[in-house]
Amino acid sequence: MSGEPAEVRLAIGGITAAVTSADDRLRLTVPAAVSRFLADGGAPDIRISATWASRPPAPSGPPLFDSGGLWRLHATGAQLTWSFTSPVFGSAPYKVAVFDRDFAAGTVHLHAPYFDTAAPIYPLEYPLDELLITNWLALGRGVEIHGCAVRDASGAGYLFAGHSGAGKTTIATLWEAEPGVTVLSDDRVILRQADNEIWMYGTPWHGDEPLASPTRTRLTRGFVLRHAAQNAAAPFGRTAVVAELMARSFPPFYSRAGLDFSLSFLAAVSERVPFAELAFVPDRGVLDFVRSGG
């Protein structure tokens, strides 16, 4: 078996997921960024069994949601089923993941003819790992934001939210060069509430740079990014904070309960953390501007 583990445990956003091979022929591995989130021991929040299949189970009925890309989601009774297809492989799904609606347990079926079954594999290959975490969070636990998260040398935690191209990775690389700074992520950040505080967690789903840390830090100030000719900050009201963050979040849009929770959670964020639009110039001066409270 070449020493590959029969189980891997991941801790992402304060969530522990245990992935177990249910097939002696299936050897597990994780990508480099995900390996930073490996965990030991403890009862997992999500239990996942992975197995080879000569042909994965076919979802029944029309899709609950079609991503327009790699995956579709079907709902059948107490279970949700993701099917993943790619023109590289053919019309049949290369992977089907079946989970209970509380996401406590599920099985990933890998279509063996499409893979090199002699090689180790990561059954939760993106985007399945992110889909599982965002859906688990939406059950009253937190929200994932499109943003960069930083903890500076003083312990202050900054969130820089932005759509693609807004400057998240630029901001992240500027901070990374500063002594005593930890960049939790340059692209995907998990927000959760504990002890009446909002906490940010890094994720393995990084952007242009491999900036991904398994640590967490308290969110003390947030920004929505915009490129500009000079540095400036314009405070947001609470309603605007919710709208801006919701537009840069990843809730399950097919779940009314998940959307309702996401909105209420972001309202709580707006009550506890000051936010502003940050118009910035992409040089080190913006870091001094932020730290000075500008």
Side-chain angles (χ1 to χ4, degrees):
M1 297 296 290
S2 305
E4 285 86 0
E7 178 184 271
V8 295
R9 293 195 177 208
L10 306 173
I12 301 172
I15 307 155
T16 302
V19 187
T20 303
S21 172
D23 188 325
D24 290 340
R25 301 167 299 161
L26 195 158
R27 296 177 294 141
L28 302 177
T29 188
V30 296
V34 176
S35 69
R36 303 172 196 172
F37 294 79
L38 289 172
D40 295 318
D45 301 294
I46 308 172
R47 295 182 181 274
I48 303 152
S49 176
T51 187
W52 293 120
S54 58
R55 190 173 184 88
S60 60
L64 178 64
F65 187 83
D66 188 337
S67 72
L70 285 175
W71 60 272
R72 290 183 174 186
L73 176 66
H74 290 74
T76 306
Q79 292 184 317
L80 294 171
T81 300
W82 279 285
S83 61
F84 297 83
T85 58
S86 169
V88 174
F89 294 126
S91 58
Y94 65 87
K95 179 165 65 180
V96 172
V98 183
F99 278 81
D100 299 337
R101 286 181 180 262
D102 63 1
F103 298 98
T107 301
V108 178
H109 305 268
L110 298 158
H111 192 176
Y114 289 165
F115 292 90
D116 176 4
T117 56
I121 193 168
Y122 178 49
L124 303 185
E125 181 186 16
Y126 182 87
L128 178 55
D129 49 8
E130 185 179 29
L131 289 169
L132 287 176
I133 296 298
T134 55
N135 278 270
W136 192 92
L137 288 170
L139 296 175
R141 294 156 174 149
V143 171
E144 184 186 24
I145 296 291
H146 204 186
C148 160
V150 171
R151 180 177 62 212
D152 77 2
S154 72
Y158 301 117
L159 172 65
F160 302 91
H163 295 303
S164 296
K168 299 183 300 298
T169 298
T170 299
I171 285 282
T173 53
L174 289 170
W175 279 107
E176 187 189 25
E178 295 290 294
V181 167
T182 299
V183 177
L184 279 66
S185 175
D186 71 332
D187 198 61
R188 301 285 203 276
V189 179
I190 289 172
L191 301 182
R192 301 187 68 183
Q193 183 172 329
D195 301 324
N196 210 34
E197 301 277 6
I198 304 300
W199 294 82
M200 302 187 295
Y201 295 77
T203 74
W205 312 302
H206 58 78
D208 295 334
E209 296 293 330
L211 300 173
S213 169
T215 58
R216 76 168 190 168
T217 194
R218 187 170 63 90
L219 174 56
T220 56
R221 195 171 181 205
F223 301 92
V224 175
L225 293 176
R226 177 171 66 83
H227 290 288
Q230 63 181 16
N231 297 320
F236 282 122
R238 285 178 50 196
T239 300
V241 172
V242 175
E244 295 289 342
L245 292 182
M246 192 68 182
R248 294 162 179 81
S249 65
F250 300 88
F253 292 104
Y254 38 81
S255 167
R256 178 178 295 179
L259 286 171
D260 287 346
F261 165 73
S262 297
L263 284 167
S264 65
F265 177 83
L266 293 177
V269 172
S270 74
E271 292 175 358
R272 290 165 174 77
V273 181
F275 269 81
E277 180 184 59
L278 177 63
F280 79 102
V281 179
D283 62 32
R284 189 188 174 282
V286 67
L287 309 187
D288 294 333
F289 180 80
V290 166
R291 283 184 291 214
S292 69

